[in-house]
Amino acid sequence: RVFHNRKNRIRFIMKNLSFFRKLVNMPLTVAYYILESFLYLLKGDLEYSISIINAIIWNIRNAKDYL
């Protein structure tokens, strides 16, 4: 569930926002997700942490679909 939520949020930004908004929102969103993943890792919730990182990786691998 966490994976799909984060994956879809990144995908939404890349598909639907203007170029300028992407420049602003993508770095902030990815930085927030990396921080969130790190915090889950510190709390000992490895599954959530990995899910968030996998969502970012999924979007990188599938970027050709929306670029």
Side-chain angles (χ1 to χ4, degrees):
R1 182 174 178 158
V2 172
F3 168 77
H4 290 293
N5 178 284
R6 302 316 188 273
K7 172 188 68 105
N8 291 338
R9 178 68 181 149
I10 293 170
R11 189 167 177 85
F12 174 85
I13 291 170
M14 291 305 295
K15 286 184 81 173
N16 296 309
L17 296 185
S18 68
F19 180 73
F20 176 74
R21 288 184 181 241
K22 286 177 193 174
L23 286 177
V24 172
N25 285 314
M26 277 309 297
L28 294 174
T29 301
V30 171
Y32 175 81
Y33 287 165
I34 291 171
L35 176 62
E36 182 183 31
S37 176
F38 181 69
L39 293 175
Y40 277 121
L41 187 63
L42 289 178
K43 287 174 47 177
D45 198 340
L46 186 61
E47 185 179 349
Y48 267 45
S49 180
I50 290 172
S51 292
I52 294 168
I53 297 302
N54 284 339
I56 295 169
I57 292 169
W58 185 93
N59 275 284
I60 292 168
R61 286 184 180 156
N62 294 283
K64 66 183 179 298
D65 293 344
Y66 50 77
L67 290 180

